[in-house]
Amino acid sequence: MRTSDLIDVLCADPRPHRLSSPFTVICLGVLLSSAIVVVIALAWLGARSDLVQIVIEGDLTFFIRFAFIISVMGAALICLRDLAVPGRRMRLPSVIALLPFVLMGVLGLLELVGASFEKWPGQAAHEPWLSCLSQIAALTVPAFAIITLALRRLAPTDLRRAGLYIGLFSGGIGAMAYVLCADGHSIGFSAIAYTGAIWASAVLGLILGPRILRWT
């Protein structure tokens, strides 16, 4: 829609409309998508039988993975909040969103260095690479759709970047739900598989952003 056409439409409909703040719209989308994805994951995969135990005992590996995912989602949410408002500059530098991935990669390398070289092939072979990637990807889809619908109610102008952060956030939701259901994995596996699944969603959002977020 051209700017002149948009002005004509607005002038032709002078009735006041109640507008929700961008932050409220995004938060509603976040809460709704998170709840739906977690419910789907629990119904599909089932919760870990030892989930309560590892939380009580403070399993370090579990909390590292969970903290990684939450930090990815938090950075993406802050960026989405700014991208939803035309003309607003992103308060969070894009490089900050990469820090969780860098830190997770460093922890994964440290874990590999601490393990004996002979155990690497066996450890990698026993990790469920395909099921992890496919299940996180499947759980990402409903979150991606809901967050996209929420942002379409707003006015993002940098559609590619907005699509990228929709993908990052949605991938984080899918990974979060997967962590609640999957048995414990090593940090090295999580650094590769979780990162791969989340960035696949981000790249998809980057590609589809101009199509799914454009004004019609």
Side-chain angles (χ1 to χ4, degrees):
M1 179 182 291
R2 294 181 301 177
T3 304
S4 57
D5 294 335
L6 177 61
I7 294 174
D8 292 339
V9 170
L10 294 176
C11 292
D13 186 15
R15 294 172 300 172
H17 296 277
R18 183 178 179 181
L19 300 176
S20 300
S21 69
F23 185 71
T24 301
V25 173
I26 293 174
C27 282
L28 288 175
V30 167
L31 294 175
L32 180 61
S33 59
S34 298
I36 289 177
V37 171
V38 169
V39 169
I40 291 174
L42 294 177
W44 175 29
L45 304 174
R48 290 185 59 172
S49 58
D50 60 345
L51 183 59
V52 176
Q53 180 181 354
I54 62 176
V55 171
I56 294 176
E57 294 179 354
D59 183 271
L60 182 60
T61 301
F62 174 82
F63 283 106
I64 287 176
R65 287 184 294 153
F66 210 80
F68 160 67
I69 294 167
I70 294 299
S71 61
V72 170
M73 293 171 58
L77 178 60
I78 293 173
C79 294
L80 281 176
R81 178 198 61 187
D82 292 337
L83 288 168
V85 179
R88 176 182 291 180
R89 298 181 60 183
M90 286 179 54
R91 306 174 190 178
L92 192 70
S94 298
V95 68
I96 300 297
L98 299 176
L99 285 181
F101 298 97
V102 174
L103 293 175
M104 194 65 173
V106 170
L107 292 175
L109 288 175
L110 291 175
E111 183 183 67
L112 289 177
V113 170
S116 60
F117 180 77
E118 293 78 8
K119 294 182 179 180
W120 288 5
Q123 182 178 355
H126 284 87
E127 296 284 12
W129 298 95
L130 183 59
S131 63
C132 174
L133 292 171
S134 60
Q135 288 167 0
I136 291 178
L139 293 170
T140 296
V141 172
F144 192 99
I146 293 171
I147 299 301
T148 298
L149 289 175
L151 233 68
R152 281 179 61 88
R153 294 180 59 85
L154 303 174
T157 54
D158 191 342
L159 303 187
R160 287 198 181 276
R161 186 176 291 184
L164 171 69
Y165 286 107
I166 288 176
L168 276 179
F169 189 85
S170 303
I173 291 180
M176 177 188 67
Y178 178 81
V179 166
L180 298 176
C181 302
D183 293 333
H185 302 306
S186 66
I187 296 297
F189 170 80
S190 303
I192 298 174
Y194 291 18
T195 295
I198 292 172
W199 274 105
S201 175
V203 171
L204 182 64
L206 180 69
I207 296 172
L208 296 180
R211 295 176 178 271
I212 60 179
L213 294 175
R214 67 184 178 185
W215 291 7
T216 55

